Amino acid sequence: MTSRRQRYYQIKPGRKHVKTAIVRLVMLTLGHAFQTAYRIDPEVKKEVDSWPPTFHVVLEVEPDGPRMTLIKRNGALQYLGEKELYNADVVIVMKSIEFMFRMTMGMMSMPRIVAENRQYMKGDLVLAGSIIRCMNRVQTMMIPVVTGLYIKKVPPLSLRMIKNRIIFWTCGVWGLVK
Amino acid sequence: MIPRYFEYYNSVRVVAGKHALGRLPEELLRLGVSRPILITDKGVVNAGLIDIVKEHIEGSGVTIGATYDDTPVDSSIHAVNAVADIYRETGCDSIIAVGGGSVIDTAKGVNIVLSENTDDLMKFRGNNRVRAVMKPFAVIPTTGGTGSEVTTAAVISNPDENIKMQFTTPLMLPDFTILDPAMTRTMPPGITAATGMDALTHAIESYMSIQRNPVSDEFAFTAIRLIMENLPVAVSDGANEDARLAIANAAMIAGVAFSNAMVGVVHAVAHAVGGVCHVPHGIANAIILPHGMEFNLPKVRDAVAGMLLPLAGPDVYASTPKKRRAEKAIETVREFAKELNRLSGLPLCLEDAGVRREQLDRVARVAINDGASHFNPIEIEYKDAIGILVRAYGA
């Protein structure tokens, strides 16, 4: 005879290990890309320099990561890995790993993620626009050809952008450009 | 157009019509409260509007526990904390906001402070930070434009740090709102025109937004039609209660539309014009609106063309060739603003609104950081914002 517990069984949330691992890898790459872009892309540098002297930005996936933590301090933008901060100035929170995965795979653009309310922001929303512009530049640097799947308006291809892509995919991706 | 995904939410009970204020005590008692704090400003008091509210609660068993009438033009964290202290000291059990956008935003901030039992509103900046069950909250708008009575957002300034803090959460929605034409009857023609254009901008922008959906589209269409038919009457004949009520309803309906679909480039630029040059929000929207529609045209031509129907009516819509409808819609908005200019002196360009040309650069830089820009169909860069501003400057 089956017990009530077996009959009315529980459904546990489980984990999406593969998607989480892919997102974690992409976030690591994105963190390094931000770090690199600050050094080699004048547009990104200009945006980041307009932020307060010490400034923390976190991109995280609910409920418990992965996470990408960036800090602007001492005239540099540093990637701090998955460090958890309780006093971050701006936190961009993706509501589930599924949609972060879709975004990282180019199946959903950032504007679509915003339009479908798959993310929310905590903190100083005034600087969110600047962060998103940086994100657009960084994604353009990281992703050739299919950039349009990720952002609203793709900047025209330039020699500088090609050079930046080469620097990023040879050195920056390993975190060597700081 | 059915989007592949959308969300819609609005929980506000709307009581609208002539003598609707008579329902105030009943609606409060239905929520189990009888001692609200009344938040308003000096302008509302001087216009005699609080006396109208008082009349309607006489003999009802509802006591106004305290009246705060010092709300500043820009809602501030100091006013929020002051009201919260008064609320606690006087044993109030609910909140009524009687006024325009600033009063309503202040009341929303007070509700966060009281419900979260905090003295630091800063902690709740951003989207969906509030978790507590909110205090019973009612809104009686006295302008026909902001739509704040049905929106999930509030902007409150922190003068100490010189920043404007944005809060969004559906929990901030009032429990009910009362739209009574008696509360907008004394509004002068200039303010009626500007706030009406604010509502029109909400409706039109929600229809162009990347978050538009079939529900918000219907609300937007109705709001546009009501405004086009009634705003000139409300401006030229302020005592016309039918027109006043129609505009109050249109503002609320446009509020429902944009709180679900959001706004875009027009609001991004208008917020910046207001912040840098202190141009009233409705006037800034009225000036920027046709330029914003033109800017978005390459991406949302069909949507703009579709708006010709509520903007100009079925005859004009049917007689305009399909490929000309978008331009005709923008032209109709321009003509409408000109009509309001003749009736009330509504400024038609930034220069007339008192903006100095040297301020445009700063306005453009502020505009591209505005939250509304995230929902615009086209990315807004500095050169786009400055282009819109230059065209709007001496239009």
Side-chain angles (χ1 to χ4, degrees):
Chain A
M1 198 174 144
T2 56
S3 69
R4 287 176 70 83
R5 188 166 282 223
Q6 283 170 320
R7 171 68 185 81
Y8 302 108
Y9 55 90
Q10 204 179 36
I11 300 176
K12 288 185 177 171
R15 307 282 300 185
K16 293 183 174 176
H17 292 292
V18 176
K19 287 180 179 174
T20 305
I22 292 170
V23 167
R24 182 159 277 134
L25 184 64
V26 173
M27 279 180 147
L28 171 80
T29 314
L30 189 64
H32 286 156
F34 262 97
Q35 214 172 253
T36 309
Y38 180 73
R39 288 291 176 214
I40 63 177
D41 186 332
E43 298 270 332
V44 173
K45 184 165 179 9
K46 199 167 97 185
E47 290 288 353
V48 175
D49 286 347
S50 71
W51 301 351
T54 304
F55 193 76
H56 303 86
V57 183
V58 174
L59 170 65
E60 67 180 15
V61 183
E62 279 188 333
D64 51 7
R67 183 180 297 108
M68 176 189 83
T69 304
L70 295 167
I71 180 170
K72 179 199 169 187
R73 67 178 168 201
N74 304 331
L77 186 66
Q78 288 174 284
Y79 168 60
L80 299 184
E82 296 214 18
K83 188 172 178 182
E84 198 167 1
L85 294 173
Y86 292 98
N87 57 349
D89 297 281
V90 173
V91 185
I92 302 169
V93 185
M94 300 298 295
K95 293 180 182 175
S96 85
I97 189 72
E98 181 62 35
F99 292 98
M100 185 67 199
F101 175 75
R102 281 167 179 258
M103 193 177 86
T104 56
M105 292 294 108
M107 293 150 76
M108 271 181 108
S109 65
M110 188 63 184
R112 183 70 10 224
I113 290 280
V114 172
E116 293 191 3
N117 198 17
R118 310 289 189 184
Q119 59 85 48
Y120 65 93
M121 288 194 184
K122 301 187 219 173
D124 190 351
L125 299 188
V126 175
L127 284 166
S130 177
I131 294 166
I132 287 175
R133 280 195 296 280
C134 285
M135 182 91 93
N136 289 346
R137 293 289 302 183
V138 168
Q139 285 180 309
T140 308
M141 181 186 77
M142 288 171 72
I143 309 156
V145 188
V146 291
T147 324
L149 294 175
Y150 292 82
I151 60 178
K152 271 189 207 169
K153 193 171 173 181
V154 182
L157 189 65
S158 61
L159 270 178
R160 178 186 282 276
M161 186 53 78
I162 294 169
K163 192 182 99 190
N164 286 355
R165 274 183 190 143
I166 293 168
I167 294 172
F168 172 67
W169 285 110
T170 51
C171 307
V173 71
W174 309 110
L176 299 176
V177 182
K178 290 182 181 173
Chain B
M1 191 273 306
I2 301 291
R4 58 182 196 178
Y5 175 92
F6 77 92
E7 293 177 11
Y8 169 82
Y9 180 73
N10 202 283
S11 60
V12 183
R13 179 177 171 80
V14 177
V15 181
K18 293 174 189 174
H19 311 296
L21 267 174
R23 291 286 299 277
L24 177 62
E26 182 193 336
E27 292 297 327
L28 288 168
L29 295 170
R30 186 178 61 81
L31 294 172
V33 294
S34 58
R35 195 178 165 79
I37 186 168
L38 197 152
I39 304 171
T40 186
D41 61 30
K42 287 282 190 301
V44 173
V45 174
N46 294 338
L49 301 178
I50 297 305
D51 296 333
I52 301 175
V53 176
K54 266 195 228 162
E55 264 173 44
H56 284 93
I57 60 157
E58 273 169 16
S60 68
V62 169
T63 303
I64 301 293
T67 305
Y68 181 86
D69 60 10
D70 281 331
T71 308
V73 178
D74 280 328
S75 45
S76 87
I77 195 167
H78 298 309
V80 167
N81 289 332
V83 180
D85 287 345
I86 296 165
Y87 181 102
R88 292 182 186 114
E89 281 165 22
T90 52
C92 292
D93 59 9
S94 52
I95 301 165
I96 302 178
V98 182
S102 173
V103 167
I104 300 169
D105 281 3
T106 301
K108 287 175 177 174
V110 170
N111 209 354
I112 295 175
V113 168
L114 292 169
S115 306
E116 289 284 356
N117 199 20
T118 180
D119 54 4
D120 184 10
L121 194 58
M122 293 275 276
K123 278 195 302 199
F124 299 93
R125 281 187 303 171
N127 313 123
N128 299 311
R129 306 294 306 280
V130 181
R131 292 283 182 263
V133 176
M134 307 294 268
K135 304 285 180 201
F137 177 32
V139 171
I140 304 168
T142 58
T143 61
T146 67
S148 279
E149 64 273 21
V150 286
T151 65
T152 55
V155 177
I156 296 167
S157 64
N158 183 344
D160 301 338
E161 299 197 14
N162 200 23
I163 54 169
K164 284 197 170 191
M165 303 180 293
Q166 297 177 38
F167 305 84
T168 59
T169 166
L171 294 174
M172 271 194 311
L173 284 168
D175 293 284
F176 68 92
T177 180
I178 296 182
L179 310 178
D180 190 322
M183 299 303 280
T184 53
R185 197 191 297 142
T186 55
M187 208 172 20
I191 298 177
T192 305
T195 53
M197 284 302 285
D198 185 20
L200 182 67
T201 309
H202 291 155
I204 289 178
E205 284 226 279
S206 73
Y207 202 77
M208 298 190 294
S209 162
I210 60 169
Q211 213 173 57
R212 64 182 280 219
N213 62 67
V215 189
S216 69
D217 283 356
E218 290 306 312
F219 278 91
F221 256 51
T222 303
I224 294 170
R225 187 176 51 76
L226 282 172
I227 293 165
M228 297 302 288
E229 288 172 1
N230 293 283
L231 187 57
V233 182
V235 170
S236 56
D237 177 14
N240 185 323
E241 287 207 334
D242 291 331
R244 288 289 194 194
L245 181 59
I247 293 302
N249 277 312
M252 176 273 295
I253 293 166
V256 174
F258 93 84
S259 71
N260 281 278
M262 308 308 279
V263 284
V265 64
V266 180
H267 269 76
V269 177
H271 285 153
V273 170
V276 176
C277 314
H278 307 290
V279 175
H281 181 60
I283 293 175
N285 270 337
I287 295 168
I288 304 296
L289 179 59
H291 304 284
M293 291 170 81
E294 270 170 355
F295 173 72
N296 282 337
L297 212 50
K299 208 67 183 268
V300 288
R301 171 168 278 278
D302 286 349
V304 176
M307 279 190 282
L308 181 62
L309 181 60
L311 280 168
D315 293 343
V316 175
Y317 182 81
S319 63
T320 307
K322 199 174 173 187
K323 62 179 182 188
R324 279 274 309 138
R325 282 179 187 155
E327 284 78 11
K328 183 74 179 168
I330 297 169
E331 194 186 311
T332 307
V333 169
R334 283 213 166 92
E335 288 304 317
F336 189 64
K338 280 183 193 163
E339 186 183 354
L340 294 175
N341 169 265
R342 281 192 295 275
L343 294 171
S344 68
L346 180 80
L348 294 175
C349 63
L350 292 174
E351 189 176 18
D352 290 352
V355 175
R356 298 192 310 275
R357 192 174 276 277
E358 61 268 24
Q359 290 176 307
L360 298 187
D361 174 69
R362 169 102 184 100
V363 173
R365 290 187 194 287
V366 174
I368 56 172
N369 284 325
D370 192 272
S373 61
H374 306 322
F375 299 92
N376 199 61
I378 299 178
E379 190 85 43
I380 308 163
E381 294 173 356
Y382 170 79
K383 63 178 174 24
D384 303 318
I386 199 80
I388 289 171
L389 287 163
V390 167
R391 284 193 293 280
Y393 187 74

